[in-house]
Amino acid sequence: MKSVNILRASVFAVGATFLIFIQDHSVPVGMGVLQFTTGALAIGGLALYVVGGTKTNPKAILVPAAVAGFVLSVTIIFGSQSLLDAESRFLVFKSLVALFAGGTAIAELLFSSSADEGDKLELRIASAIGLVTGFVFWLAPLDGLNAVGFFSAYLSVSAVQRAIWAAAPNIQRKK
């Protein structure tokens, strides 16, 4: 899981840093960061699977990469400035962030039941962060500025959690 967490922490940190320091917090900028994040996670996940240097369950690498790849393809199709009006583009962005965060969270929650003892709690923490983000994007009455801000917060919190998880010593607890 260490290499998977390093990949995800790095990608989330780059996306969060860009959103935090750029002055434009519009939906097209958020959509661009979503495209970068999902594209990097999909390609990185496939690269980790092909290299095969991790002892991680292959499904734990491929399922989040598949969710990210699906979200990436939909952002490419519907993220165009000319295809949708501003309100529709915002609804697509909001739905895709909810799908990305929620889909990955559900997969991590399922994988936590068969994970090593040290990774079990961390997978559940990452899952809780994603589920809360998914519910916020699904249920909260957000506007474009708040949606991009919450997406930035999700990326930041996830990057920090994953980086701490990757840096922590791997201690196997006995049952």
Side-chain angles (χ1 to χ4, degrees):
M1 280 305 283
K2 187 172 284 243
S3 57
V4 174
N5 287 324
I6 291 170
L7 168 71
R8 291 183 186 162
S10 301
V11 170
F12 288 160
V14 169
T17 302
F18 182 79
L19 285 175
I20 289 169
F21 289 108
I22 192 160
Q23 296 297 315
D24 183 14
H25 290 88
S26 62
V27 172
V29 171
M31 189 72 83
V33 172
L34 182 62
Q35 285 177 343
F36 162 76
T37 303
T38 55
L41 290 177
I43 292 168
L46 290 176
L48 284 176
Y49 177 73
V50 169
V51 169
T54 66
K55 297 178 182 177
T56 306
N57 178 2
K59 290 180 185 176
I61 297 172
L62 288 177
V63 171
V67 170
F70 175 75
V71 171
L72 173 65
S73 63
V74 175
T75 60
I76 290 171
I77 294 168
F78 292 110
S80 172
Q81 294 285 338
S82 61
L83 189 59
L84 299 172
D85 62 353
E87 182 65 26
S88 299
R89 206 170 28 253
F90 167 67
L91 292 175
V92 167
F93 173 71
K94 189 175 159 181
S95 300
L96 288 175
V97 172
L99 177 68
F100 171 63
T104 305
I106 290 169
E108 288 172 337
L109 186 61
L110 294 175
F111 295 135
S112 72
S113 63
S114 63
D116 293 336
E117 192 65 30
D119 292 335
K120 192 173 287 205
L121 179 62
E122 294 295 337
L123 277 168
R124 290 179 180 167
I125 291 170
S127 177
I129 293 167
L131 286 173
V132 167
T133 302
F135 281 128
V136 165
F137 275 83
W138 183 39
L139 298 174
L142 300 173
D143 62 358
L145 179 68
N146 290 332
V148 174
F150 276 118
F151 180 52
S152 174
Y154 165 70
L155 293 175
S156 300
V157 170
S158 293
V160 169
Q161 188 263 338
R162 297 248 180 217
I164 291 170
W165 182 6
N170 191 8
I171 299 172
Q172 298 294 330
R173 296 182 188 153
K174 297 190 180 200
K175 294 180 180 181

